Amino acid sequence: MGNFVDLISKIADMVWGAPLLLMLLFTHIFLTVRLKFIQRHIGRAIKLSVTKDELAQGDVSQFSALATSLAATIGTGNIVGVATAVAIGGPGAVFWAWLTGVFGIATKYGEALLSVKYRIKTSDGTMAGGPMYVLEHGLREKYGLKVTGKVLGVLFAVFTALAALGIGCMAQANSATGMINDVFGIEKWIIGLALAALVAVVIIGGIKNIAKVCDKLVPFMAVFYIIGCIIILSMSYKTIPDTVVLIVKSAFTGQAATGGFAGATVMIAARYGVARGLFSNESGLGSAPIVSAAAQTRNPVRQALVASTGTFWDTVIVCAVTGIVLVNTGVWNQGLSGGELTNAAFGTFGTIGKVVLTVALITFVFSTILGWSYYADKAIEYLAGKKVAFMYKICFIVFVFFGSIWSLEVVWMLSDIANGLMALPNLISLLLMSGVIVSETRKYLWEDNLDAISEGYIEVDK
């Protein structure tokens, strides 16, 4: 068994190695340049996210689509993932994670735009879209790659379904039950049954039911966590300026060994900061565009702008706040692992720190399960139709329970592999279809319709 675990670990490291990280980072920068720094429209995008578009086709509002994608995106990676980056790469890793989020906004914009453009209406009148449809229909339409596009679309859908069972289901359930068991002493199987029942109640109703819950849950959990972190930071506000300076300075000079910290070079800080930033915001992985395709929007650019705010909130705000809290406590230099560092940092603030961390992790985990259930549902629907997708949904609920009670070291690594492999076909579509992204952006945002932009959103094209 040990050899098998070692093999899976090596494969996971290989998948999430330098080639994939560089490809993701290259795509972020490439699209940022081609789209003339689309990030400058983030204010307009935020206004648009809370603007109803009653006249447009779609299953849920633009805000609901954003909330559902954020539900899946804002998870343990925003807390424990950032802590892991700091534990290995030092304070400078926070800066690189933040910078990755800034550039990742362009990639999230591009993949959402393509998913809306190439979405289809199914036999029951609901929308279906995502990288699998972009690969199949987009590559065939633009390059005549009928077979290649279909194969890549199938691969993406398969990897999505596998990743959903692992990182989007079992691993999340395991994190939540572990936390609740540690804090309240409740048996894991009881927590697992309750969690599975709650998930079942929500996801059986489909996207509209999931979106309805996420509409309420995501704003609450994000605001609660950010306000909690602000309160924590206010308790040691005098050291915040020095902390910010340390984060920026360490990003370009590395961090010498202090206390139990092993020391980190600029390369190590950049590597782990970029890796955890990419993993956290999912820009380029192709997951979030699946729900963007369900949004009520008049044209692809509107929803693309809304979707891009997901990376802004996830990494530029939430991960940055987490990083500042972790570094500001000073416990980062004690040689602790990611999970230990998280508990130690928030634990330094007594009850309030433990409450913020516990509530955040539980709500983050539950929302992530809901979001990933929809991604998997659409992936299976693409592969085998709605009946099989419903059967998968039942399996997903069962796996929530088993994830709560099993040891998941191998599951974590296998789901990491599937998660990384999702990105490859999606990045291929983004790079090959970048001309379409630019063309649609020019059509609705750059030239003819500039005079139609009013009150922070784009009017329907004439």
Side-chain angles (χ1 to χ4, degrees), residues 197-209:
L198 283 172
V199 171
V201 168
V202 178
I203 72 174
I204 291 297
I207 181 59
K208 291 187 178 180
N209 209 34

Side-chain angles (χ1 to χ4, degrees), residues 249-459:
K249 183 179 178 181
S250 298
F252 298 99
T253 62
Q255 180 62 42
T258 54
F261 181 65
T265 63
V266 174
M267 185 60 69
I268 293 176
R271 176 188 170 189
Y272 284 94
V274 169
R276 301 322 297 180
L278 291 171
F279 191 79
S280 170
N281 62 53
E282 297 181 14
S283 293
L285 295 190
S287 49
I290 297 174
V291 72
S292 289
Q296 296 166 343
T297 184
R298 305 182 211 179
N299 60 62
V301 169
R302 285 172 63 98
Q303 180 55 29
L305 285 170
V306 172
S308 71
T309 66
T311 298
F312 172 79
W313 295 121
D314 175 88
T315 307
V316 178
I317 301 298
V318 177
C319 284
V321 168
T322 301
I324 293 171
V325 168
L326 293 173
V327 177
N328 199 53
T329 61
V331 298
W332 63 269
N333 61 8
Q334 294 179 9
L336 303 173
S337 67
E340 294 170 339
L341 175 56
T342 301
N343 291 329
F346 282 86
T348 58
F349 298 97
T351 303
I352 186 172
K354 293 179 181 178
V355 168
V356 170
L357 180 60
T358 302
V359 174
L361 283 178
I362 291 173
T363 54
F364 283 11
V365 161
F366 182 60
S367 71
T368 297
I369 293 174
L370 297 184
W372 271 94
S373 74
Y374 179 73
Y375 298 159
D377 181 54
K378 285 302 179 182
I380 295 297
E381 182 183 315
Y382 173 80
L383 292 170
K386 291 183 181 292
K387 289 184 179 179
V388 177
F390 183 80
M391 294 169 60
Y392 177 94
K393 196 177 291 186
I394 301 301
C395 290
F396 188 91
I397 294 166
V398 173
F399 272 69
V400 170
F401 172 74
F402 285 119
S404 301
I405 59 176
W406 285 350
S407 176
L408 295 178
E409 181 184 3
V410 175
V411 172
W412 263 109
M413 289 187 286
L414 287 172
S415 56
D416 264 357
I417 293 170
N419 208 210
L421 291 175
M422 284 173 60
L424 293 176
N426 182 56
L427 292 174
I428 290 171
S429 73
L430 282 167
L431 295 173
L432 290 179
M433 302 295 289
S434 61
V436 175
I437 299 172
V438 172
S439 176
E440 291 291 311
T441 304
R442 178 179 292 112
K443 178 180 178 182
Y444 293 107
L445 191 59
W446 286 348
E447 297 173 356
D448 297 339
N449 275 11
L450 281 179
D451 59 346
I453 299 174
S454 175
E455 299 301 324
Y457 66 94
I458 305 169
E459 295 287 354

Side-chain angles (χ1 to χ4, degrees), residues 42-308:
I42 196 67
R44 176 176 293 136
I46 292 172
K47 290 181 182 179
L48 181 58
S49 68
V50 292
T51 302
K52 290 186 177 181
D53 196 8
E54 306 285 359
L55 302 177
Q57 286 189 328
D59 302 330
V60 296
S61 69
Q62 291 179 306
F63 178 79
S64 293
L66 173 63
T68 305
S69 68
L70 278 173
T73 306
I74 297 180
T76 54
N78 293 81
I79 303 177
V80 180
V82 174
T84 300
V86 173
I88 300 174
V94 176
F95 174 84
W96 291 110
W98 178 84
L99 195 64
T100 300
V102 172
F103 283 104
I105 289 172
T107 300
K108 187 65 71 72
Y109 169 90
E111 57 188 357
L113 186 152
L114 291 175
S115 288
V116 174
K117 181 173 177 60
Y118 292 104
R119 67 182 179 179
I120 65 169
K121 183 176 286 189
T122 62
S123 57
D124 63 2
T126 58
M127 294 294 185
M132 53 278 203
Y133 292 93
V134 176
L135 287 160
E136 180 180 351
H137 302 297
L139 294 187
R140 181 184 63 198
E141 178 183 304
K142 187 171 178 60
Y143 297 101
L145 299 175
K146 184 176 181 180
V147 176
T148 303
K150 180 65 176 178
V151 170
L152 289 173
V154 168
L155 286 174
F156 175 84
V158 169
F159 293 139
T160 299
L162 291 175
L165 282 179
I167 206 163
C169 174
M170 297 178 70
Q172 299 298 326
N174 193 266
S175 296
T177 52
M179 169 68 73
I180 296 171
N181 176 259
D182 289 343
V183 176
F184 301 105
I186 303 173
E187 291 290 335
K188 289 187 176 182
W189 69 268
I190 297 175
I191 303 168
L193 279 177
L195 184 58
L198 283 172
V199 171
V201 168
V202 178
I203 72 174
I204 291 297
I207 181 59
K208 291 187 178 180
N209 209 34
I210 294 172
K212 192 178 297 183
V213 173
C214 291
D215 274 357
K216 305 293 188 300
L217 178 60
V218 170
F220 163 76
M221 71 183 197
V223 171
F224 175 86
Y225 179 68
I226 291 172
I227 290 178
C229 286
I230 290 174
I231 292 173
I232 288 173
L233 287 171
S234 69
M235 296 167 69
S236 55
Y237 69 93
K238 292 182 179 178
T239 57
I240 292 177
D242 290 337
T243 293
V244 174
V245 170
L246 176 63
I247 288 172
V248 176
K249 183 179 178 181
S250 298
F252 298 99
T253 62
Q255 180 62 42
T258 54
F261 181 65
T265 63
V266 174
M267 185 60 69
I268 293 176
R271 176 188 170 189
Y272 284 94
V274 169
R276 301 322 297 180
L278 291 171
F279 191 79
S280 170
N281 62 53
E282 297 181 14
S283 293
L285 295 190
S287 49
I290 297 174
V291 72
S292 289
Q296 296 166 343
T297 184
R298 305 182 211 179
N299 60 62
V301 169
R302 285 172 63 98
Q303 180 55 29
L305 285 170
V306 172
S308 71

Side-chain angles (χ1 to χ4, degrees), residues 10-33:
K10 288 179 181 177
I11 295 174
D13 289 341
M14 188 184 304
V15 170
W16 278 101
L20 178 58
L21 294 178
L22 289 173
M23 191 175 178
L24 280 163
L25 199 56
F26 170 78
T27 304
H28 289 355
I29 297 171
F30 175 73
L31 289 176
T32 294
V33 173

